[in-house]
Amino acid sequence: MSSRVSQQAAWLEVLQHPGAFALRVLRAFRKNQGLLLAGAVAYYALLSIVPLLILIVIVLSHVIDQALLLETLERYLGWVVPGQSQPIVDELAGFLEHRDVMGWVLAATLLFFSSLAFTVLENAMSIVFLHRVALRRRHFVVSGGHALLLHPVPRHGLAGGDAGGGRP
């Protein structure tokens, strides 16, 4: 019951003095280098999203005709990045030509950068929730395992390979 009373007192303090609360939040954000942490999380997320998207195209090429897939991507990329869709599709076609090798290279790249992203995210969350942090660190391989488990499309797409009736 006392924790409920203390929570109500905390909310009452915030509602009575919102400016002071906002100032405390901004000071703590600056003290904990929140902008640097947010930038690091975004950076590694972007580094892991590019291989993920290429792997998704490789997996889709096993299901959808490659020419139709590239034509559709070119049309939709033309809306997002006008004038740049053809070079992007040309690069994707190169990845699709060598998908047997590139799939594994991209999977390793995805796993590496995703594990870095999860490590940075874990560090950021431990700073944000400093009062709840446990002093055990996860091994790099565990973060990589989380990355692999949370990216099921490449995991299933690469496991199937061309054995499932994929196109040459």
Side-chain angles (χ1 to χ4, degrees):
M1 188 68 153
S2 66
S3 67
R4 184 179 171 115
V5 171
S6 65
Q7 284 180 349
Q8 287 177 345
W11 278 108
L12 188 60
E13 175 71 24
V14 169
L15 291 175
Q16 287 177 347
H17 306 287
F21 172 73
L23 192 59
R24 283 194 315 265
V25 167
L26 290 174
R27 282 184 185 150
F29 185 77
R30 186 170 160 232
K31 177 185 165 203
N32 293 328
Q33 297 181 337
L35 222 50
L36 183 66
L37 291 170
V41 169
Y43 176 75
Y44 286 118
L46 282 174
L47 281 177
S48 64
I49 267 196
V50 171
L52 174 66
L53 293 176
I54 295 171
L55 280 172
I56 288 173
V57 170
I58 289 174
V59 169
L60 283 175
S61 72
H62 290 288
V63 179
I64 301 171
D65 180 47
Q66 184 173 332
L68 179 63
L69 178 64
L70 291 175
E71 178 185 321
T72 305
L73 283 171
E74 184 177 358
R75 183 173 357 127
Y76 287 118
L77 283 171
W79 294 345
V80 178
V81 282
Q84 296 299 317
S85 63
Q86 186 60 45
I88 294 172
V89 168
D90 290 343
E91 290 299 321
L92 284 173
F95 280 110
L96 290 176
E97 285 176 21
H98 306 289
R99 65 178 159 202
D100 294 335
V101 175
M102 289 309 299
W104 292 107
V105 171
L106 287 169
T109 305
L110 175 68
L111 184 63
F112 175 72
F113 284 120
S114 295
S115 65
L116 288 176
F118 279 102
T119 301
V120 168
L121 184 61
E122 179 185 7
N123 291 341
M125 295 306 279
S126 71
I127 289 172
V128 169
F129 298 107
L130 186 63
H131 60 282
R132 298 182 188 171
V133 74
L135 295 177
R136 348 180 277 259
R137 305 297 298 170
R138 267 192 280 190
H139 194 271
F140 180 76
V141 175
V142 174
S143 293
H146 286 152
L148 187 61
L149 289 173
L150 293 176
H151 290 298
V153 172
R155 183 185 67 216
H156 291 297
L158 290 175
D162 279 338
R167 292 175 179 82

